[in-house]
Amino acid sequence: MDDDLPVDSDEDLFRNPVYYEPAGRNLDLERPDLGVPHGQDLLQVLLGMRRRVPVEKRGLICPDCRDIRRRRVPMYLVQRDGVWLASHYRRPGEKPISHESDEHLARKERVAKDSEDHGFRADIESQTADGLARLDVRINGANGIVLGYEPQLSAQTYRGMRAREGARRRGGIQSVWDFADPDHVGIGTVPYVRTPNLPASVIRVQKNPIAVQDGNFVLEEGQCSQNGALTRCPDKPYDPENPTDAGYCGGWHRILMPAHQSNTFTGEGRLTLTRFIVEAAAGERVPFQRNGHHGWLPAQQWQRYLEANGPAQEEKERRPSVRQGDRRDRCTEDRPASEIRAEPKQKRGSRAIVLESRPRETESTRVWTDASGQPIPLCRFGCGQPASLPGPEGLPEHYSCRRTQQG
């Protein structure tokens, strides 16, 4: 019975949540006990229903279809590479389910129109050549560049985002994932931009600029001191409870810094989504991957990156967790992630990526002395400069450094 049913695409199988009605909760098919009390034998019970019990009577349904579409859509189990996953049951001739929100549709339409207006052909809902993924917007850029614009407005999992990006990368696609949530698990996990969460009516008006708030990086290097080129030490943990706290180690760093957190950011002439997409399609913005973190660099910055650090090492190719099945169908895009598969959100902070660091030069290389030849100690706050006057605690410091530390 089950072998003849139309199966969801590999990408959707991997992230489909499943709800078991008799238990009244979602199942975690990656766990032996399925995440429910006394669930060790439940999987065998469910598998025993195959070919014997109609799909509609097995008690497995899609929680997203229930919550979003107010429909009871049965599900059945499919095995891929030793992992059990849940697929939607569709009667013969029934169309795949779509849960795309109006905001999601508006973003696709807006980017496609903007790309066409700037001379780059764009197709909405385009399949990759290998059939492993379907792009929300496929943009044919210059010199063989193919962009895949993917607005992602719902919560997803780290593992799911990696799998979806891997399918696109293997198909020769440069993905641009667009997130509205600053705490989305996909930020940094895949090549991304972050834009405001705007209503569809605003997005569809082409004259309305959509600001790129994150994902665009710049290369910075310099001395890590109060008077140096860096705004803060990239090795000092960022305290979200005290975002203005600054700290310096006195060393030297070369870093990749989000443009909005760089020392050159003024807020004027902000990068827009339209400009970003057009420049990426023209090859003027390049995706990078460094120690598992993804982002974008302007072409000039990319050249500086290559000159200083050499070609980027390709991330070790992972075997896809789901590789088989009918890839023609697709269920949802902007649906809530399941309560089982969604990871907790992380507090956001500085996303500086350290490329190279050199420690502060040893004190013996230069000893500061006063007029009488006595050594002058360095400021207690780590600015790297000599301080001849003691503070209230009797330690050498600068008045300006104390004010900075006290906020």
Side-chain angles (χ1 to χ4, degrees):
M1 178 190 299
D2 291 4
D3 295 337
D4 300 329
L5 298 177
V7 182
D8 284 340
S9 68
D10 286 359
E11 189 175 24
D12 287 319
L13 273 177
F14 187 77
R15 62 194 181 109
N16 279 339
V18 59
Y19 182 85
Y20 186 53
E21 291 177 308
R25 60 187 299 175
N26 284 12
L27 301 182
D28 185 354
L29 299 179
E30 297 179 357
R31 294 174 53 177
D33 62 357
L34 304 183
V36 298
H38 312 294
Q40 288 82 358
D41 300 324
L42 179 57
L43 179 60
Q44 297 305 318
V45 173
L46 294 173
L47 296 179
M49 295 182 183
R50 305 178 78 192
R51 298 184 177 277
R52 295 192 306 106
V53 179
V55 177
E56 298 95 329
K57 298 182 179 181
R58 298 179 190 176
L60 298 176
I61 66 169
C62 174
D64 293 340
C65 293
R66 177 199 61 193
D67 297 338
I68 298 176
R69 305 177 68 238
R70 307 300 182 205
R71 283 183 53 186
R72 182 183 183 276
V73 178
M75 304 188 80
Y76 62 97
L77 300 181
V78 178
Q79 191 176 43
R80 291 290 184 270
D81 296 333
V83 178
W84 287 103
L85 304 164
S87 180
H88 294 77
Y89 171 68
R90 299 192 303 274
R91 295 177 178 82
E94 190 173 6
K95 295 182 180 180
I97 302 167
S98 175
H99 293 162
E100 291 186 346
S101 65
D102 196 30
E103 289 76 15
H104 181 91
L105 291 171
R107 287 174 183 265
K108 294 197 301 184
E109 296 166 2
R110 170 69 179 271
V111 166
K113 288 180 181 177
D114 288 344
S115 300
E116 295 275 1
D117 289 347
H118 286 82
F120 297 111
R121 178 183 172 183
D123 299 305
I124 295 178
E125 297 296 329
S126 175
Q127 196 86 0
T128 57
D130 56 12
L132 293 177
R134 192 163 76 174
L135 310 179
D136 280 337
V137 182
R138 177 192 175 98
I139 304 166
N140 296 317
N143 301 319
I145 295 175
V146 180
L147 290 183
Y149 173 69
E150 307 289 340
Q152 186 63 64
L153 305 182
S154 65
Q156 298 296 328
T157 67
Y158 173 83
R159 190 177 176 189
M161 292 301 304
R162 289 288 300 271
R164 296 171 67 190
E165 168 60 19
R168 286 155 176 78
R169 187 172 60 251
R170 289 187 292 272
I173 306 299
Q174 288 189 8
S175 301
V176 181
W177 295 88
D178 185 3
F179 303 110
D181 181 1
D183 293 314
H184 198 286
V185 70
I187 289 181
T189 304
V190 294
Y192 74 101
V193 293
R194 180 169 62 84
T195 56
N197 189 10
L198 301 172
S201 58
V202 173
I203 296 172
R204 286 194 169 97
V205 179
Q206 284 186 279
K207 66 180 181 179
N208 289 337
I210 302 175
V212 171
Q213 300 174 318
D214 196 359
N216 179 49
F217 285 69
V218 293
L219 184 67
E220 292 187 346
E221 57 185 302
Q223 203 69 25
C224 186
S225 65
Q226 186 177 18
N227 300 320
L230 305 181
T231 56
R232 63 178 297 111
C233 179
D235 291 330
K236 182 177 180 180
Y238 180 85
D239 183 6
E241 305 299 330
N242 189 13
T244 61
D245 178 36
Y248 305 98
C249 68
W252 179 92
H253 305 286
R254 179 184 293 120
I255 61 175
L256 294 175
M257 175 70 76
H260 69 283
Q261 294 179 343
S262 70
N263 58 4
T264 59
F265 180 72
T266 63
E268 298 180 1
R270 300 190 68 169
L271 181 64
T272 65
L273 180 61
T274 298
R275 177 183 162 194
F276 179 91
I277 292 294
V278 171
E279 291 183 355
E284 297 174 9
R285 294 189 182 273
V286 182
F288 73 86
Q289 183 268 325
R290 178 79 179 192
N291 297 331
H293 190 107
H294 295 258
W296 291 80
L297 281 169
Q300 300 87 343
Q301 298 277 323
W302 173 249
Q303 289 302 319
R304 287 181 58 197
Y305 173 89
L306 292 180
E307 292 170 1
N309 297 89
Q313 294 182 353
E314 288 294 331
E315 189 176 9
K316 183 178 180 181
E317 190 71 16
R318 296 188 177 187
R319 190 178 72 170
S321 298
V322 182
R323 297 183 298 167
Q324 305 169 5
D326 184 357
R327 302 181 177 95
R328 296 171 298 174
D329 303 327
R330 183 173 188 79
C331 172
T332 77
E333 182 64 34
D334 279 32
R335 66 184 182 199
S338 76
E339 60 191 36
I340 293 293
R341 297 177 187 268
E343 293 91 349
K345 293 181 179 179
Q346 301 295 323
K347 287 186 177 181
R348 59 185 179 276
S350 174
R351 296 192 176 93
I353 303 170
V354 180
L355 302 176
E356 182 183 355
S357 291
R358 292 198 293 266
R360 179 192 308 176
E361 295 181 0
T362 60
E363 303 295 336
S364 59
T365 59
R366 183 174 184 181
V367 178
W368 301 87
T369 59
D370 57 19
S372 62
Q374 297 298 315
I376 304 175
L378 298 179
C379 175
R380 60 177 293 214
F381 293 112
C383 70
Q385 301 298 316
S388 57
L389 297 178
E393 293 85 1
L395 299 175
E397 65 178 45
H398 296 112
Y399 177 69
S400 59
C401 292
R402 169 175 285 276
R403 291 190 60 186
T404 300
Q405 288 293 322
Q406 293 178 344

